[in-house]
Amino acid sequence: MTAEPVTTSQPSSSPAQAPPTVRASLSPSRAADFKTCPLLYRFRSIDRLPERTTVEQARGTLVHAVLERLFDLPAQGRTPAAAGDLVAPQWDRMVTEQPELAGLFDGAEPAGPVEFLRSAAGLLEGYFAVEDPTRLEPAERESLISAVVDEELLIRGYLDRLDVAPDGALRVVDYKTGGAPREAFEARALFQLKFYALVLWRTRGVVPRVLRLLYLRDAEVLDYTPDADELVRFERTVVALWRAIEQATARQDFRPRPSRLCDWCSHQALCPSFGGTPPPFPVAAASADPLRDSRSAPVVPGADE
């Protein structure tokens, strides 16, 4: 397999930036969707069904935004109090940019906006329990990285944070606002980080030394060290997933794969496993822009916690 860099510094990626051999794109979130449940991939990437933002997703996005802005401050100013002071302004910015968030606490939601902001501040306390940001100078934050694998597939996604040591060693850091890892979620999170590790290796020639998951709710750290042989195998897995997606699209055959994750799915009413019927397969799916892996303008930080 071969790979070549596409772009690692722009806030978005477009088909015009991809080599002419590229036929499709894939983000880690959409790849994980298909791996978890092919029908979920179809609902999100082909049918493009709307999903209402949950309180948990909004909280994750807010905490990610605060941690990104925290590193704009001088090192000695990166204190728990300073992070707490960023919570309300960042929430106000989010609501201005996405007015629908203003209705997040309407109806049956037990938590009001005050408790919501307080809970976000609590997660930030978990961050300071596992890292000292005064000793860190991230090389990149919320950075889009992308590469071409197998000459035809563009893989891309956003890093929460990339640290570069003086000797050039890379550490990929991902913030998780959910609880400490349960098996299903840990596997999905590591899949995402291996995806980023593969892109970095193919574009920069360096295998990241550490893939780090920071679980803020429980103040826990999970470190993983990949190697080149593992990333070669992972690349084969990603390409195989893409080919399986292509075959499923050609056959219009995306089957549900029930699991514990169904409890969090927004589309149970349309899922055969819950007595539902999927909508007709979109006629335009076969002719859709192959570089638009829906939501591969990658998922908003924290939204898929």
Side-chain angles (χ1 to χ4, degrees), residues 132-154:
D132 179 0
T134 67
R135 303 180 63 183
L136 297 169
E137 291 298 338
E140 299 178 27
R141 289 170 281 150
E142 301 302 337
S143 176
L144 174 65
I145 59 173
S146 57
V148 176
V149 297
D150 202 42
E151 299 184 346
E152 297 180 324
L153 177 65
L154 178 71

Side-chain angles (χ1 to χ4, degrees), residues 68-224:
E68 181 184 6
R69 298 295 184 274
L70 182 67
F71 286 99
D72 290 335
L73 301 176
Q76 295 309 311
R78 300 169 193 161
T79 64
D85 289 343
L86 290 169
V87 172
Q90 286 303 308
W91 176 243
D92 290 342
R93 177 190 59 79
M94 287 172 56
V95 172
T96 298
E97 294 175 356
Q98 303 173 67
E100 66 274 13
L101 292 177
L104 190 63
F105 305 102
D106 295 343
E109 291 293 350
V114 174
E115 177 57 32
F116 172 77
L117 296 180
R118 185 181 295 118
S119 66
L123 290 172
L124 292 168
E125 292 176 5
Y127 168 73
F128 282 91
V130 294
E131 274 196 338
D132 179 0
T134 67
R135 303 180 63 183
L136 297 169
E137 291 298 338
E140 299 178 27
R141 289 170 281 150
E142 301 302 337
S143 176
L144 174 65
I145 59 173
S146 57
V148 176
V149 297
D150 202 42
E151 299 184 346
E152 297 180 324
L153 177 65
L154 178 71
I155 59 173
R156 58 188 176 184
Y158 277 98
L159 300 173
D160 284 352
R161 200 179 84 212
L162 181 66
D163 300 333
V164 181
D167 64 358
L170 304 181
R171 179 172 63 194
V172 178
V173 180
D174 197 70
Y175 307 123
K176 294 298 179 188
T177 55
R182 287 172 282 178
E183 183 179 354
F185 294 101
E186 180 179 336
R188 183 181 176 107
L190 284 176
F191 179 90
Q192 178 183 11
L193 290 187
K194 289 178 185 179
F195 204 99
Y196 298 151
L198 173 60
V199 174
L200 291 167
W201 180 43
R202 288 307 194 189
T203 55
R204 308 186 189 192
V206 179
V207 175
R209 183 177 295 172
V210 177
L211 307 179
R212 172 166 291 180
L213 291 162
L214 299 183
Y215 287 91
L216 307 186
R217 178 176 299 170
D218 297 317
E220 292 191 13
V221 179
L222 174 63
D223 282 347
Y224 186 83

Side-chain angles (χ1 to χ4, degrees), residues 39 43 256 258 267-278:
L39 186 59
F43 286 156
H267 308 296
Q268 290 184 6
L270 298 173
C271 178
S273 296
F274 293 86
T277 301

Side-chain angles (χ1 to χ4, degrees), residues 32-33 35-41 43-44 51 54 182 184-185 188 255-275 305:
D33 283 345
K35 190 169 179 284
T36 300
C37 175
L39 186 59
L40 176 62
Y41 173 91
F43 286 156
R44 285 178 165 171
E51 295 182 6
T54 67
R182 287 172 282 178
F185 294 101
R188 183 181 176 107
R255 301 183 185 184
R257 186 176 296 150
S259 73
R260 289 176 294 169
L261 298 175
C262 293
D263 293 342
W264 289 271
C265 184
S266 301
H267 308 296
Q268 290 184 6
L270 298 173
C271 178
S273 296
F274 293 86
E305 293 289 337

Side-chain angles (χ1 to χ4, degrees), residues 22-27 41 152-156 242 290-293 296:
V22 169
R23 297 196 297 111
S25 76
L26 193 62
S27 67
Y41 173 91
E152 297 180 324
L153 177 65
L154 178 71
I155 59 173
R156 58 188 176 184
W242 166 54
L291 290 177
R292 287 198 60 194
D293 159 21
S296 70

